[in-house]
Amino acid sequence: MSSQFEKVLPNEILLMIFEYLNVHDLFQSFYNLNKRFNNLIYSMPLYHIDLNNIERKSTFDYYQHSIIPKIQYQQNETVIVLDIDDDLCNCIKILDQLKQMNLKSLRIKNFNEDNINYLLSILPMFTQLVFLRIQSKVNLNLNQFVQLITIPSLKQFELLFLNYYYPSYTSIKSQIILSNIEYLCVYRYFQIKQFQELLQYLPKLKKLFIYIIHGNYLMPINNNLHQLVPNLNDLQLYVQKIGFDELQLLLQPLSQQLKRLAISCWSFEYSNGKKWEIFLKSFLLLKHFHLDITLYELPSNSINIKQILSTFQTKFFFNAHWYFAIDYNPNVDIKFVLYTLPWPIKYFHTVLYNVETLSTITDQSYSTKNVQNLYIQLYNQVSNSTPTVNKGNSQHYYSNVESLILINRLSNNNDQSSQIIDDLCHKIDLTKIKSLKFDNFDDLQTTSIIDIINFIPNLLELKIIFKLYLQHQNLISNISTIQTLIVYFDSDDLTEDILTNCFSLLSINIKNLTCITNNQYQILNLLEILYQFKFLNIKKLLLKINNRTEIEIFTNEFIQFIEEFMMKMSLNDKYDFMYKINDKKQLVIWF
């Protein structure tokens, strides 16, 4: 069959097919079949090395010892795109093998503190690196941040944090050279002063995504920002504790160059359409405007959402094709959300019942197309009320959600699970869901809402507290699509018998198991029990202390015990594995 495949298709078609395959499958399937296929593989202009989703140590070994040496041997102008999960043992060290290669794009997630110095030392060696994305679990100090944004070859840089960090930099001023970055995305807050200082070193900047916050002191607003960043035309700001008038002063110098402006904030002051219209009329090139305002607290005086929305129902906004909606329920956590249509970002928080929604447009079929991560707070349904949405009301039908988080706000008086599940089925295209999390369900022990997993045919990942998992283990084990299980251990008094019985029934389909505990002793207990079962069919095991437990970390004695335990596994049981201790709070074992 392979010979017919080769004869029928020309080189150009084969190369197009190869581009859709990951590098591991490409080499496993076609390398060394014949000389023609080898030459085609060698001639590929781009290789994507994805170390995020590999399922076992042997796959990483194949990348390290077979694929990369072959690419390295033949490389001329070949471009390398590399994705790394820093929680996966020492994957990041593979950069040592790529130093002489044409690495153009690097994305690192779950970046750990123990690799900061290594990364900063090796990145300057990649003289062709254009794109860098770091999702970090730790903050970076000023010097480290400066080193990254001044890598000479870098054009695009994204620095994301797993937690939101408030400013720790007293000043951006330093012996910094000018940056060549054209796109910068930083998930952290900068005070206005720091924000203005930062722009001094980004003369080539075209697109910026950043969090800004008011400082604790008064200072003049720089009215020369347009001179510092003359090429900036796309600006997205997360704004906190900054008045609307102050934001106008800050952004007015950019009014002659911005083509896109997006503002996210948590202030009712920003919900006045008349003020926005006056302000936006000065932006002569502006084509795209996005606004979202989320309020957990309402102003002391009563509000009229029809009146608020009417300020955005003017000829100015209609001519620009900028449409708005308001979701309102003063009795839940998120009480008021005003946003442009379609909803501009991939995260959305809502409730299932009793939300009053108004919008400035009747055709809303596209309004939630961007939502990929949906958080739904589940409150008890008010008598005679109907769900806020159904498929006929397209404004609230979520057609592209991949991650669903259900947050329990239900009372224990009665179980409305069947009705809730039915309403969720009419609210979301459940065939798109890949990840499901049950949050805060520890106080509702009789709920059968977990039955919703029967209606999610492509579910790959489940996040659940251990108590709820125990109650529904048989159901979960019968969902064959689930490959990743993340369990939150909410109690310190679980007996060894309970844990042993639990893992004895663990589905053989689970390849990735994460256990989030309250202390290191639970980790030790879990490790020993799983060892008894020869780790079942698990390819990646992550045992960690809950991040909310700030004080609890691995002691030196515990780390020493882990190392001795791993030595025993290696010598006595001949396991083929790697392991890593990250930030003294988590243990990763990769088989």
Side-chain angles (χ1 to χ4, degrees), residues 255-298:
S255 61
Q256 305 304 306
Q257 62 191 76
L258 288 184
K259 297 179 181 179
R260 178 180 180 270
L261 176 63
I263 303 292
S264 298
C265 63
W266 295 267
S267 171
F268 184 72
E269 182 185 357
Y270 284 69
S271 62
N272 188 322
K274 293 180 179 179
K275 287 186 176 181
W276 277 112
E277 179 173 343
I278 294 171
F279 178 46
L280 294 175
K281 279 182 176 178
S282 63
F283 288 77
L284 302 181
L285 301 179
L286 197 65
K287 298 297 182 184
H288 304 282
F289 173 64
H290 300 288
L291 174 67
D292 63 276
I293 305 167
T294 302
L295 300 182
Y296 294 86
E297 294 183 4
L298 296 174

Side-chain angles (χ1 to χ4, degrees), residues 35-53:
K35 185 176 180 180
R36 181 193 177 201
F37 272 38
N38 283 1
N39 288 336
L40 283 173
I41 292 174
Y42 284 153
S43 68
M44 290 183 63
L46 181 144
Y47 292 98
H48 182 191
I49 301 174
D50 186 355
L51 302 183
N52 282 330
N53 302 308

Side-chain angles (χ1 to χ4, degrees), residues 500-558:
T500 301
N501 183 62
C502 166
F503 288 118
S504 68
L505 300 175
L506 190 70
S507 169
I508 61 172
N509 298 308
I510 302 300
K511 294 182 173 62
N512 305 300
L513 175 63
T514 295
C515 298
I516 301 174
T517 71
N518 293 325
N519 57 67
Q520 63 183 14
Y521 302 107
Q522 280 189 327
I523 288 178
L524 177 59
N525 202 8
L526 292 168
L527 181 61
E528 291 178 332
I529 291 171
L530 287 167
Y531 178 63
Q532 293 176 20
F533 292 109
K534 306 301 181 184
F535 296 101
L536 303 162
N537 201 35
I538 297 168
K539 304 305 177 187
K540 176 192 171 185
L541 175 63
L542 175 59
L543 305 174
K544 63 180 293 187
I545 298 175
N546 196 321
N547 286 331
R548 296 175 185 173
T549 312
E550 297 294 340
I551 299 175
E552 183 76 36
I553 60 172
F554 295 167
T555 62
N556 292 333
E557 292 78 10
F558 180 77

Side-chain angles (χ1 to χ4, degrees), residues 3-42:
S3 61
Q4 292 298 318
F5 176 75
E6 180 187 2
K7 290 178 182 178
V8 170
L9 298 177
N11 289 350
E12 293 77 11
I13 300 297
L14 287 173
L15 283 172
M16 291 176 63
I17 294 173
F18 288 172
E19 288 179 3
Y20 285 93
L21 301 176
N22 67 56
V23 176
H24 179 270
D25 292 343
L26 175 65
F27 273 80
Q28 285 274 20
S29 303
F30 297 105
Y31 189 77
N32 270 350
L33 284 182
N34 55 50
K35 185 176 180 180
R36 181 193 177 201
F37 272 38
N38 283 1
N39 288 336
L40 283 173
I41 292 174
Y42 284 153

Side-chain angles (χ1 to χ4, degrees), residues 127 131 236-237 260 362 365 388 426 437 469 504-505:
T127 58
F131 176 84
Q236 183 167 348
L237 297 178
R260 178 180 180 270
T362 55
S365 59
T388 58
H426 289 89
K437 180 179 180 179
Y469 175 73
S504 68
L505 300 175

Side-chain angles (χ1 to χ4, degrees), residues 466-478:
F466 182 71
K467 196 180 299 182
L468 194 58
Y469 175 73
L470 276 181
Q471 293 175 356
H472 301 278
Q473 189 170 1
N474 289 333
L475 171 62
I476 295 171
S477 297
N478 288 328

Side-chain angles (χ1 to χ4, degrees), residues 246-257:
E246 191 172 18
L247 183 72
Q248 287 189 84
L249 290 175
L250 181 66
L251 299 185
Q252 194 63 52
L254 304 174
S255 61
Q256 305 304 306
Q257 62 191 76

